[in-house]
Amino acid sequence: MGAEMVEIDPVRPATRLLDDLGARLRAGALVAFPTETVYGLGASIDRPDALRRIFEAKSRPSTDPLIVHVAGIDALEGVVDGVDDRALRLADACWPGPLTMVLPRGPLVDDLVTAGGPSVAVRVPAHPVAIGLVRAAGVGIAAPSANRFGRISPTTADDVRDELEERLIDGDTILAGGPTPLGIESTVVDLTTHRPTVLRHGGLPWEDLVAVLGHVDAPERRVVGDDVLAASPGSLIRHYSPDTPLVLVEGDEQMADALIRELADRGVVARLVGLPSGPEAAARELYRTLRAADRSGVSLLLAVVVDPAGMGRGVNDRLYRAAHGRGGAECVAGSVDRLEMLARA
Ligand code: TXA
Ligand code: MG
C-alpha cells in the first residue's frame, strides 16, 4: 500500500480529480504534484500534522522553511504581512512563474512552514496542475521539492516514487503529470531587506528581476559550510547530490573528454554528464541527466559548467552543490591524480 500514483492531464487537469485532491489536502493528506520547475510534495499550511510529515518524509531538518504556493496575489491575505511596491511589481511581471518571494509572515502561517522565523516564502506556480490544486484546496499549499533532503530534485513522477514512495502513507497521492517544463527550482528573492537579494538562482533569470526592480543583489556562489545555518538553507553547499562523486570542469567538453581518457588509461571508468547547449535546455535536462549518470555504475562523473547567463546561473549553482557531495572543497577538476583518488575513495 502507501501512496497512490494517479495520472493527471498536465494541460487540462480534470476538475473532479482536482476537487477530490483539494479535499484530501484539507483533510491532512500529502499530494506530490508537478509544477513548472520540479515536482513538489504538498500539504495544507493549516495542517501541522501534514506539515510535520513533509519533514519526516524528506528527512528535512525543521530549521529549513517551506515555500507556500498560492493561486494569485489576492490569496496572500493573512499569509504575508503586507505586500510592498517591489513585491507588487514583481508579482505583476513574473507571476504565475518560477519566482519565490520572501516577505514578512502573516498570521495564517504555521511555525512549521517558516521554521519559526519572521518571514515566509511564497509563489504562484505556472502549471495547470499546481495552480488547479491550490485553487481547489482553497488554502495555501506548502511544498518543498519532492526528494529526500540533499538529493537530486524530481522532474518526473517516477523520480518522486523512487525518492519517497515508501515514506508516504495510505491516502497520500503522487500525481503523474509528465516531466516538468523548466527542470530547476524557482529563483528565491528576499524582499525583507532594504536591497532585494537573490537567495537561490533558479528558473527566473536574475536579469528579469533587474529589469523590474532596477537593482538586485545576487551573490554569485553562496559557499557556506554544511554546519552553518544559511539565510536560505537551500544555499547549503552540499545539495542536489548524486551518490557517485562528481567533479566540475571549468572549460569545455574536449577538456573533460581528455580527462576521461587519461582516467581510463589508469583503469578508472569516468563519464561525462553531457548537457545540451543553451541554458534553458541545460536546465531542463540537468536533473534527469544527473540521475541517469548516477545509476550508470561508473566511479566518477565529470560535468562542464555552462554559460553563466539567464538560467545558466541556476544550472551552475546546482552543479557546484552537486559536486560538493563528496569532493570536499575541491569540486573543480584539478590533477588527474586527485581525480583518480576521488574515484577510488
Ligand atoms: O521551484 C520551487 O521552488 C519548488 C517547487 C515545488 O515550487 N520548491 C522548492 O522548495 O524548491 P524547497 O523547499 O526544495 O526549496 C525552498 C527554498 C529553500 O532553499 C528554503 O530554505 C528557502 O526556499 N526558503 C523557504 N522559506 C524561506 C524563508 N522564509 N526565508 C529564506 N529562505 C526560505
Ligand atoms: Mg529542494
Side-chain angles (χ1 to χ4, degrees):
M1 290 300 279
E4 195 188 353
M5 183 101 129
V6 176
E7 294 281 335
I8 191 161
D9 187 326
V11 182
R12 288 175 203 280
T15 311
R16 269 198 24 215
L17 178 53
L18 290 175
D19 286 344
D20 173 53
L21 292 162
R24 281 171 187 245
L25 281 163
R26 284 196 301 275
L30 302 187
V31 177
F33 59 95
T35 77
E36 78 278 36
T37 58
V38 299
Y39 272 73
L41 178 64
S44 168
I45 56 166
D46 56 9
R47 292 296 305 225
D49 51 337
L51 294 169
R52 226 169 265 124
R53 284 211 296 121
I54 286 187
F55 287 91
E56 279 163 24
K58 283 182 56 89
S59 306
R60 179 175 175 122
S62 58
T63 47
D64 193 353
L66 304 177
I67 297 174
V68 178
H69 298 66
V70 294
I73 191 153
D74 303 338
L76 284 180
E77 178 103 45
V79 174
V80 302
D81 179 24
V83 178
D84 69 13
D85 175 59
R86 302 174 302 179
L88 276 179
R89 278 188 287 148
L90 280 180
D92 209 39
C94 309
W95 278 353
L99 173 68
T100 295
M101 296 192 230
V102 174
L103 295 166
R105 81 187 265 190
L108 290 185
V109 184
D110 197 281
D111 263 342
L112 285 160
V113 172
T114 64
S119 64
V120 63
V122 290
R123 89 175 187 99
V124 178
H127 190 293
V129 172
I131 203 92
L133 199 58
V134 174
R135 230 180 244 132
V139 58
I141 300 299
S145 52
N147 52 282
R148 281 172 274 157
F149 187 68
R151 296 175 51 90
I152 302 168
S153 302
T155 55
T156 67
D158 285 345
D159 297 341
V160 178
R161 196 191 48 210
D162 292 349
E163 285 285 315
L164 296 178
E165 189 178 37
E166 75 242 29
R167 295 164 171 224
L168 300 178
I169 61 173
D170 286 359
D172 294 342
T173 307
I174 298 173
L175 285 176
T180 57
L182 295 182
I184 59 171
E185 296 85 345
S186 62
T187 300
V188 180
V189 64
D190 189 356
L191 294 174
T192 64
T193 45
H194 178 59
R195 288 158 75 95
T197 306
V198 171
L199 299 179
R200 176 179 76 182
H201 288 291
L204 191 93
W206 167 76
E207 292 87 339
D208 292 13
L209 295 174
V210 172
V212 177
L213 295 182
H215 186 94
V216 180
D217 286 346
E220 196 54 22
R221 256 184 253 167
R222 305 198 123 220
V223 179
V224 293
D226 271 351
D227 50 351
V228 178
L229 190 66
S232 189
S235 62
L236 284 180
I237 189 70
R238 183 194 312 232
H239 223 103
Y240 316 105
S241 297
D243 292 328
T244 317
L246 167 73
V247 171
L248 300 191
V249 176
E250 289 182 331
D252 54 21
E253 286 205 1
Q254 279 79 356
M255 262 174 82
D257 287 338
L259 287 168
I260 289 169
R261 278 195 304 273
E262 280 192 65
L263 286 164
D265 290 343
R266 299 176 179 214
V268 173
V269 184
R271 174 180 163 149
L272 178 72
V273 179
L275 295 174
S277 62
E280 283 87 16
R284 200 165 53 237
E285 298 299 325
L286 175 66
Y287 290 143
R288 191 186 61 75
T289 312
L290 268 179
R291 275 176 193 274
D294 199 18
R295 284 200 200 101
S296 67
V298 303
S299 346
L300 187 73
L301 300 174
L302 294 178
V304 178
V305 297
V306 305
D307 179 21
M311 282 171 79
R313 272 189 205 86
V315 172
N316 285 342
D317 168 86
R318 305 305 185 274
L319 284 175
Y320 280 109
R321 291 177 209 290
H324 267 273
R326 287 270 195 83
E330 293 166 76
C331 69
V332 176
S335 71
V336 179
D337 285 341
R338 175 68 190 154
L339 293 184
E340 183 179 354
M341 236 176 73
L342 272 176
R344 296 192 190 281

